[in-house]
Amino acid sequence: MAKLDIITIPDPRLKLVSEPVAHVDDRIRKILDDMLETMYDAPGIGLAAIQVGVAERLVTIDVSREGEPKAPLFLVNPEVVWTSEETNTYEEGCLSVPEHYDEVERPARCRVTHLDRDGVERTIEAEGLLATCLQHEIDHLNGVVFIDHLSRLKRERVVKKFSKLAKVRVRSVGWRPSMG
Ligand code: NI
């Protein structure tokens, strides 16, 4: 397995709609395994492939608590097929928006269909943290980051902060972006 680099806002790739996976083969399993290692190392409880620059519909999740046995989930082509009317508000964070946390309201429960690491069709009935995490990661596959659920004012403030940081990073390595 290999640890991959996680991209952060305002990287435009985070706005891409990821492509469905046609076959769950060794290439896909390798990406999933690398994603899981990257996620555990970060550490995070969920990761979408686009966060490591791969625009394919792949997600890894592990919401087990510290001290509990690891419980990794591998999701290929995950799809939210049902959500509850009842909602939940969680303070969310994202490995692509480091050290920024904000409250997001989402359906409290959801049903998600997907293929697993062996290409077998599965359905997850989720509530609590898992329901939030699934919706957050599937959003990434559609080019949506959790700050897109915040008010415009709040979102612009976050984007501005990270854009400034990106400029500082660019300057510090002496790289000049090309025009256009
Ligand atoms: Ni995220």
Side-chain angles (χ1 to χ4, degrees):
M1 291 205 278
K3 220 188 85 182
L4 309 168
D5 290 330
I6 296 173
I7 62 175
T8 54
I9 61 162
D11 193 308
R13 286 173 289 177
L14 290 166
K15 297 263 183 202
L16 291 175
V17 176
S18 295
E19 292 290 331
V21 172
H23 301 286
V24 183
D25 53 17
D26 287 345
R27 183 186 70 87
I28 293 298
R29 277 185 281 274
K30 167 89 167 73
I31 301 172
L32 286 168
D33 291 344
D34 289 347
M35 284 171 61
L36 190 73
E37 187 184 347
T38 304
M39 183 186 89
Y40 282 148
D41 183 75
I45 59 169
L47 190 72
I50 194 59
Q51 293 182 272
V52 291
V54 176
E56 297 186 70
R57 301 185 83 81
L58 301 168
V59 164
T60 55
I61 287 177
D62 189 339
V63 293
S64 63
R65 298 214 181 93
E66 222 184 308
E68 285 179 358
K70 283 190 170 27
L73 283 173
F74 299 98
L75 300 99
V76 178
N77 300 338
E79 201 179 328
V80 179
V81 292
W82 174 82
T83 54
S84 63
E85 276 179 33
E86 183 201 346
T87 62
N88 235 341
T89 302
Y90 263 105
E91 189 166 72
E92 296 189 20
C94 179
L95 295 172
S96 295
V97 191
E99 283 158 45
H100 183 83
Y101 301 88
D102 238 311
E103 287 191 339
V104 178
E105 187 182 10
R106 298 182 189 268
R109 289 174 291 133
C110 64
R111 185 179 304 132
V112 171
T113 59
H114 68 98
L115 301 177
D116 67 14
R117 200 175 169 282
D118 298 311
V120 177
E121 274 182 48
R122 305 268 182 198
T123 303
I124 300 176
E125 305 278 347
E127 58 177 16
L129 181 58
L130 179 59
T132 294
C133 189
L134 281 163
Q135 292 171 72
H136 175 121
E137 301 311 331
I138 294 168
D139 265 0
H140 275 300
L141 304 182
N142 296 319
V144 175
V145 179
F146 85 97
I147 57 168
D148 293 326
H149 292 286
L150 307 178
S151 70
R152 209 179 95 184
L153 189 72
K154 269 189 174 181
R155 180 172 58 250
E156 282 173 356
R157 209 179 288 152
V158 179
V159 172
K160 207 169 168 184
K161 185 179 115 190
F162 279 88
S163 300
K164 270 189 199 153
L165 286 173
K167 268 184 213 140
V168 169
R169 275 200 299 269
V170 166
R171 229 178 277 137
S172 67
V173 296
W175 179 77
R176 295 177 77 88
S178 57
M179 301 291 289

